[in-house]
Amino acid sequence: MDSTPSQKNLLRLRCSVQNYDWGLKGHDSRVARLYAQNSGSETRPDIPYAELWMGTHESGPSFVVQAPRASNGVSVDDDVGVSLKKWISENPNVLGDKVLHNWGCDLPFLFKVLSMAKASSIQAHPNKELARTLHKAQPDVYKDNNHKPEMALAITEFEALCGFISLEVRKLTDKELLVLRLEKQYPADVGVISAFFFNYVKLNPGEALYLGADEPHAYVSGECIECMATSDNVVRAGLTPKHRDVKTLCSMLTYKQGFPEILQGVPLNSYVRRYLPPFNEFMVDRCILPYRASTVFPAVLGPSIFLVMAGEGIMHAGSFKGELVTEGDVLFAPANTEISIESESEFSYIELE
């Protein structure tokens, strides 16, 4: 019997983890816990688990799980097939006409979970024209030719530096404390002083921040869902031991002043909030279902990726009927697929579409 997943079915995915130095270590990291559930791997207490990647980017690809979930609720971990990117290239209709027309035969978005113990680099992401130039000139540093607008949705209290403060704004006490924290994390790094002229943003769980091309930022601490266009291009200038390209960063920034907009999400029903950044590659739905509740996600024109953050539920979609989904499960849904979910415990998940 052919075990290749149907184009009309949901796909279970095995995803990639990034062990960047700024990540939370061991079981303190939500990334580590989700990755362990998703892959069946053991969590090492001495290793930082920084980012869980869900998508098709070659720096952290996802793979199709070909075996169904067993009756005891455990997937067969060894039965992992082709990459999601390859499967989509062989089944392009799953993307829907709109995505194929606008972005070609690939996912237009990349989905991540971040767990931060200390600040990431001061950085910005190039616009499309600059991305093409940088990739052509330094393909080993700038890995693709796409832009990277992104959004961070807090799942714990989350801190970030973002954009330039207005000249009349002073939050000096908090800034001075932050500078001391950053200096301990990155001694003698000139990027520490960026805290004085960037906006210091604190997000509560469920709040989101979006960042367009050429906007300076650095995530400081906490855990979040990060969504972006399919790209891994980063131009760095401080708070990092990695490659810095200060000249390029300074030349590309918008230097726009003012505090960034914080997204609260728009309620779609009692359980679901939608976050709509001002770009076309993706939108995000966050769902929290109480015990024995249910909800329906109407079919959309493009593909979706679901991440189960906590709890367990029963999912129905096409021939994917009555399937148990639990914490750490990641599922790919083709375009034009209606999905319904019934919770078996308090249940939360994120959908990127």
Side-chain angles (χ1 to χ4, degrees):
M1 179 181 292
D2 183 6
S3 62
T4 303
S6 165
Q7 290 188 30
K8 296 182 179 180
N9 204 6
L10 300 187
L11 305 182
R12 292 185 183 272
L13 302 180
R14 285 287 177 269
C15 302
S16 297
V17 72
Q18 307 287 6
N19 304 108
Y20 303 140
D21 180 63
W22 48 258
L24 284 166
K25 290 184 178 180
H27 292 284
D28 290 337
S29 169
R30 189 182 304 256
V31 166
R33 300 195 300 271
L34 290 170
Y35 179 66
Q37 294 286 347
N38 180 262
S39 65
S41 63
E42 294 291 328
T43 298
R44 290 183 53 181
D46 57 328
I47 297 294
Y49 292 83
E51 296 185 351
L52 180 69
W53 286 34
M54 296 157 279
T56 56
H57 198 282
E58 61 184 12
S59 296
S62 296
F63 295 86
V64 176
V65 178
Q66 294 185 319
R69 183 177 291 277
S71 58
N72 62 357
V74 178
S75 294
V76 181
D77 293 323
D78 292 333
D79 197 359
V80 175
V82 299
S83 70
L84 179 60
K85 185 179 182 72
K86 186 174 189 299
W87 188 86
I88 288 174
S89 72
E90 295 171 351
N91 302 276
N93 290 340
V94 300
L95 296 175
D97 294 340
K98 178 182 176 181
V99 170
L100 282 170
H101 175 75
N102 290 323
W103 293 286
C105 193
D106 196 6
L107 286 182
F109 53 74
L110 177 59
F111 196 9
K112 299 181 184 180
V113 181
L114 274 59
S115 294
M116 308 192 65
K118 62 180 184 179
S120 63
S121 58
I122 298 167
Q123 59 185 257
H125 307 302
N127 58 45
K128 285 188 176 183
E129 182 179 357
L130 180 58
R132 287 192 289 267
T133 300
L134 293 174
H135 177 63
K136 184 176 181 179
Q138 301 181 71
D140 56 329
V141 176
Y142 302 106
K143 302 296 179 65
D144 53 74
N145 61 4
N146 198 15
H147 70 162
K148 191 185 176 186
E150 68 185 37
M151 182 174 70
L153 170 60
I155 51 180
T156 66
E157 291 186 354
F158 192 77
E159 298 174 280
L161 295 169
C162 175
F164 292 95
I165 61 170
S166 300
L167 294 179
E168 68 275 10
V169 175
R170 298 292 182 267
K171 296 174 268 175
L172 288 179
T173 300
D174 284 349
K175 292 292 185 71
E176 289 169 352
L177 292 173
L178 178 59
V179 166
L180 292 175
R181 285 169 56 195
L182 295 179
E183 208 283 326
K184 287 182 180 179
Q185 295 174 6
Y186 298 96
D189 190 314
V190 69
V192 168
I193 66 171
S194 66
F196 284 115
F197 48 86
F198 288 164
N199 293 295
Y200 180 30
V201 180
K202 294 182 178 181
L203 299 180
N204 294 314
E207 295 181 332
L209 173 72
Y210 67 82
L211 299 152
D214 305 328
E215 287 294 322
H217 61 281
Y219 296 151
V220 175
S221 71
E223 296 182 299
C224 75
I225 295 294
E226 191 182 29
C227 315
M228 64 206 67
T230 302
S231 174
D232 194 29
N233 282 326
V234 181
V235 185
R236 301 180 180 89
L239 302 183
T240 181
K242 295 181 179 180
H243 173 76
R244 304 182 189 204
D245 192 345
V246 177
K247 182 177 180 181
T248 298
L249 187 81
C250 290
S251 69
M252 65 188 273
L253 296 182
T254 62
Y255 294 98
K256 180 175 63 178
Q257 296 179 7
F259 201 78
E261 180 182 0
I262 304 302
L263 302 180
Q264 303 292 337
V266 177
L268 300 185
N269 55 45
S270 300
Y271 310 124
V272 181
R273 298 187 78 86
R274 174 163 291 174
Y275 300 81
L276 288 165
F279 26 83
N280 297 321
E281 279 83 352
F282 61 83
M283 59 185 176
V284 178
D285 290 343
R286 178 177 184 245
C287 178
I288 300 177
L289 285 178
Y291 179 57
R292 294 298 186 188
S294 64
T295 193
V296 174
F297 283 85
V300 295
L301 297 178
S304 304
I305 288 182
F306 287 80
L307 166 64
V308 181
M309 298 292 295
E312 60 182 35
I314 303 297
M315 183 174 281
H316 305 270
S319 59
F320 194 95
K321 291 189 181 299
E323 289 272 359
L324 179 70
V325 291
T326 65
E327 179 180 344
D329 278 346
V330 180
L331 302 109
F332 173 84
N336 305 306
T337 302
E338 183 180 272
I339 295 168
S340 63
I341 300 175
E342 304 163 7
S343 63
E344 294 291 298
S345 64
E346 186 170 335
F347 181 76
S348 68
Y349 65 91
I350 307 291
E351 178 194 14
L352 180 62
E353 58 190 70

